[in-house]
Amino acid sequence: VVAVPNVLAPQSPSALPRTICPLVSLDFANQLYAQCGLPVAFNDLFTYSRSSSATFVERVAKCTAGYDYFVGTVLDDTLRFEYDPETGENLGALIEGASTNLALYSEEFDNAAWTKTAVTINANTNTAPDNTISLDVVEVTSLTGVQGVSINSFTADGASSYTFSIYILKSLSNFDISLYYRDSISVGTQYANLVFNPATGVTSTAPSNFKLVDFGDYYKAEITEPSLPAGSMRAHIRLSNMAIGSKVGAWGAQVEALTFASSYIKTEGSAVSRSADNLSLPSAGNFNASEYALYTKGNDLDVGKAYSVTDGTLNNRVQSGV
């Protein structure tokens, strides 16, 4: 016997349960985007721009298992996706503000812009993190003085934090290396300092902020100084506890007026800037201005705002960051 169906009286919209389907779902890590539960293409949803080329951490699958990582480059107006070089996790879209690399000749330590002390530079001898033969080898030639190289020079404004970053090849000497800032005087004042040995890890942590990233065949070392005085500064790479003939491979020197290291910016004789990433979607069909819930997840939100909901003016907006 078929039961008599229940008949519901007409209901007003306010009496209906709330939908569990978001107006818009943006999964950058898996590159899946949807409106009201229906898939939608990236280009049909977003407006994106960046008025310069830029680099990012790219990966390629190994024949056995896992990935190899390298520094890739994309042209203007191309959204970058980044992968964690230690875990392989897809980190999603890489959205950065503008930044400038103040270190001249970021890949050419043999250039006269770098002061060499008790070392010689063997240029373009090894594969670099961008898969080109552009990594230089710094070789100790004397135990007199402070062995190393320093960039001459960048000008601190006395107000900004500065971060120095560089890639170091693992496979040469079992080295100690010290990254630090100093002023432009030959003796100089030492400010932030970071010393590490690949076999034992960080051995000195004088700076307020440091980071050592395992980048496959390389380390990426970063050191931040929040209070450099105004004036001419040097970012110095010092080799310590080394014997004559000891070698260190270095590539990708970068100095930025930021509290963290952003993606690599190549320089060849002058400071180079990377433009900001601008990613947006229209409010129509994607946003209810009278009532809404917004959930976001991101990595390394060091500075600025993570997102902003606005009518295009400064009067009506909601934004979130650090």
Side-chain angles (χ1 to χ4, degrees):
V1 177
V2 178
V4 177
N6 292 325
V7 178
L8 298 177
Q11 302 290 312
S12 66
S14 61
L16 295 175
R18 295 176 183 266
T19 177
I20 60 172
C21 178
L23 287 177
V24 60
S25 175
L26 313 175
D27 182 352
F28 290 100
N30 295 299
Q31 300 183 42
L32 298 174
Y33 317 104
Q35 287 178 306
C36 297
L38 299 177
V40 62
F42 178 89
N43 291 334
D44 294 334
L45 184 61
F46 292 99
T47 298
Y48 173 75
S49 65
R50 187 191 59 254
S51 57
S52 72
S53 61
T55 66
F56 68 117
V57 176
E58 179 63 288
R59 72 181 186 185
V60 290
K62 294 181 179 180
C63 296
T64 52
Y67 299 93
D68 285 323
Y69 301 92
F70 65 95
V71 176
T73 301
V74 295
L75 300 178
D76 302 16
D77 299 328
T78 303
L79 182 66
R80 295 169 292 169
F81 291 87
E82 191 167 25
Y83 306 93
D84 189 306
E86 294 182 338
T87 67
E89 177 188 5
N90 187 334
L91 300 179
L94 175 58
I95 305 297
E96 295 183 296
S99 187
T100 300
N101 186 359
L102 303 173
L104 312 184
Y105 299 99
S106 62
E107 299 174 14
E108 301 171 51
F109 299 99
D110 58 327
N111 190 277
W114 288 90
T115 295
K116 275 75 72 174
T117 305
V119 297
T120 188
I121 307 298
N122 303 306
N124 303 326
T125 59
N126 291 73
T127 302
D130 66 348
N131 283 337
T132 65
I133 306 299
S134 59
L135 184 138
D136 292 351
V137 173
V138 183
E139 182 176 355
V140 175
T141 56
S142 171
L143 301 182
T144 302
V146 179
Q147 299 89 355
V149 293
S150 57
I151 187 68
N152 298 344
S153 59
F154 69 95
T155 301
D157 60 17
S160 303
S161 296
Y162 288 85
T163 296
F164 176 35
S165 60
I166 193 167
Y167 290 87
I168 301 295
L169 183 65
K170 295 179 181 178
S171 62
L172 294 175
S173 301
N174 183 25
F175 57 86
D176 290 341
I177 186 168
S178 172
L179 308 176
Y180 64 88
Y181 296 99
R182 64 185 302 178
D183 63 26
S184 60
I185 304 172
S186 58
V187 176
T189 301
Q190 179 175 302
Y191 299 101
N193 181 46
L194 165 63
V195 178
F196 70 90
N197 183 309
T200 59
V202 173
T203 59
S204 174
T205 58
S208 59
N209 185 32
F210 70 91
K211 189 175 182 181
L212 190 62
V213 179
D214 190 332
F215 195 79
D217 294 332
Y218 314 88
Y219 288 105
K220 185 180 182 182
E222 306 171 9
I223 178 173
T224 298
E225 172 52 56
S227 56
L228 288 178
S232 183
M233 289 287 151
R234 295 182 180 185
H236 192 74
I237 309 167
R238 175 181 177 181
L239 283 57
S240 57
N241 298 323
M242 305 286 281
I244 292 177
S246 297
K247 300 176 181 179
V248 170
W251 181 87
Q254 186 152 303
V255 176
E256 303 170 86
L258 292 174
T259 59
F260 59 95
S262 71
S263 59
Y264 173 57
I265 304 168
K266 182 178 180 178
T267 63
E268 296 179 291
S270 60
V272 175
S273 297
R274 180 195 61 246
S275 299
D277 295 279
N278 297 292
L279 180 68
S280 63
L281 69 161
S283 60
N286 299 316
F287 179 70
N288 183 339
S290 60
E291 183 180 12
Y292 68 92
L294 180 63
Y295 170 76
T296 63
K297 179 183 178 182
N299 294 323
D300 294 331
L301 304 179
D302 294 270
V303 67
K305 58 182 180 290
Y307 64 83
S308 176
V309 179
T310 175
D311 64 356
T313 72
L314 300 180
N315 298 320
N316 300 295
R317 64 176 178 172
V318 176
Q319 64 185 38
S320 176
V322 293

